Amino acid sequence: MAGAVRDTKRALSVLKSTYPRGAKLCAQPQDAQLILVTAGAIEIHTGAGRWVVTPGLGLWMPLRTCHAVTTLSRVEMLVLSSSDPAGLRGGPGEYGRVFALHVTDLLRELVLELSKISPQSARATILAGLVMLELKEMPDAATFLPWPKGLVACAAADIALSDMLGVLEIDELAAGVSRSGRALSRLFLAETGLSFQAWRRRARIVAAARRLSYTSSIPSVAAEFGYESNSAFCDAFHKEIGVAPNEFLKLYLR
């Protein structure tokens, strides 16, 4: 774990850390945080949902956002914290929700440089402002599983997560929360932006991505999650995540 930079005017800090695979971290920070993974992959749980974050993605956490992190491989990460993120950008109400962003080369290098220099320097103040200007919210990434808010949808989500083989048909699962399949899908669309079937497909793949961090055997993961063949699993994985399982292993879970 490396040192931190602290800006007394804006209460800005950057922490560079390394963790082994399987580390579990819980945080209740008062500050807003920008989390960048420079090597490896992590899974982050917040009240909004669950993300798998790889070196191509960053995650912005608003002030006082509780979250839990599980490392899916050996991980190197940078965490920028700010007690006054709006003050760095100037817009009221900005950065008020958790969101993912593409990590540009410039953003990564800016944060890395901030982790090395004196917080009292004029250069640190300028770089901090540039970091915030680089934050551009992107549509929710395929590695994000939004979590529903209502009791009925949450109960259905729990049932779905316990049925990763996909044995239950939607009408059977919906009956477990006293709804029809059509009503449940409408409920999920309203609360998560995904139909129930789309949410379930993504949940299955996100869980499979997590499982790949413990066993690099693609055939065993395909069988564990009920796919008819390796090719069916690879096709579904690529459709949701954007890369094939073997590429995911090579790029992020080394």
Side-chain angles (χ1 to χ4, degrees):
M1 185 177 290
V5 170
R6 194 76 183 173
D7 183 322
T8 54
K9 288 183 180 179
R10 288 170 176 163
L12 184 78
S13 66
V14 179
L15 187 66
K16 185 177 181 180
S17 305
T18 301
Y19 297 100
R21 187 187 72 172
K24 296 184 184 296
L25 314 167
C26 292
Q28 295 181 317
Q30 293 301 303
D31 291 355
Q33 293 187 336
L34 171 64
I35 298 175
L36 304 183
V37 175
T38 55
I42 61 177
E43 185 178 51
I44 299 182
H45 287 212
T46 75
R50 306 173 183 190
W51 281 261
V52 173
V53 182
T54 63
L57 294 175
L59 204 63
W60 175 259
M61 301 278 190
L63 296 166
R64 295 177 292 280
T65 300
C66 297
H67 57 277
V69 176
T70 301
T71 59
L72 302 182
S73 65
R74 180 185 179 278
V75 166
E76 296 174 10
M77 54 194 291
L78 292 162
V79 179
L80 180 152
S81 299
S82 174
S83 63
D84 184 23
L88 291 169
R89 183 82 174 263
E94 288 184 300
Y95 312 118
R97 65 180 291 264
V98 179
F99 65 83
L101 61 143
H102 286 299
V103 178
T104 63
D105 291 341
L106 176 58
L107 177 59
R108 183 175 57 254
E109 292 304 318
L110 286 170
V111 177
L112 277 169
E113 189 63 20
L114 270 172
S115 71
K116 301 172 186 175
I117 64 176
S118 168
Q120 281 75 39
S121 67
R123 188 162 177 258
T125 300
I126 293 170
L127 292 181
L130 289 174
V131 165
M132 304 308 285
L133 288 171
E134 273 293 286
L135 299 187
K136 295 181 176 66
E137 183 175 349
M138 61 178 280
D140 287 328
T143 55
F144 170 53
L145 182 67
W147 201 253
K149 299 295 186 292
L151 292 177
V152 171
C154 283
D158 287 337
I159 295 171
L161 290 181
S162 68
D163 180 40
M164 285 289 101
L165 287 174
V167 175
L168 295 174
E169 297 291 339
I170 184 171
D171 287 333
E172 294 177 288
L173 196 151
V177 291
S178 303
R179 295 291 188 279
S180 67
R182 183 174 296 180
L184 187 61
S185 194
R186 285 198 301 267
L187 188 61
F188 263 73
L189 188 60
E191 294 191 19
T192 70
L194 297 172
S195 71
F196 181 70
Q197 293 287 51
W199 186 92
R200 196 179 186 189
R201 284 194 299 269
R202 185 176 294 184
R204 200 174 178 192
I205 291 298
V206 168
R210 185 193 312 115
R211 185 63 181 142
L212 280 171
S213 70
Y214 294 97
T215 171
S216 58
S217 171
I218 293 170
S220 67
V221 173
E224 181 179 342
F225 285 85
Y227 288 91
E228 295 177 358
S229 64
N230 286 350
S231 60
F233 171 62
C234 291
D235 287 346
F237 195 97
H238 189 280
K239 184 175 181 180
E240 292 292 337
I241 303 295
V243 296
N246 61 336
E247 294 176 283
F248 186 80
L249 283 168
K250 186 185 301 182
L251 288 170
Y252 309 127
L253 302 184
R254 290 174 294 184

